[in-house]
Amino acid sequence: MDAESARMIGAGLAAIGAGLASLGVGNVFAKFLEGALRNPGAADGQQGRLFIGFAAAELLGLLAFVVAMILVFVA
């Protein structure tokens, strides 16, 4: 296997992380809604944690995307 094909395989594997970030974001919102429907009084106090979880999951997806772009265009 030459270096070009190994680079493209690595970029494809890094792009999987960007796809999995959408599952993480969906899981964050699903668990928030599940908890909010069980205890509506505590939903306002958990909304800050919702946005922190969303930002963390989205950050990991963007990081995977950046790694894939670095592998494709720079490395």
Side-chain angles (χ1 to χ4, degrees), residues 28 46-58:
V28 166
Q46 299 298 321
Q47 194 166 12
R49 289 184 179 90
L50 168 73
F51 291 125
I52 290 172
F54 166 73
E58 198 65 32

Side-chain angles (χ1 to χ4, degrees), residues 11-26 57-58 60-65 68:
L13 290 174
I16 291 173
L20 291 178
S22 62
L23 292 176
V25 170
E58 198 65 32
L60 291 174
L62 288 173
L63 183 65
F65 176 73

Side-chain angles (χ1 to χ4, degrees), residues 1-11:
M1 176 184 328
D2 60 342
E4 180 68 24
S5 59
R7 198 172 80 186
M8 291 300 165
I9 290 173

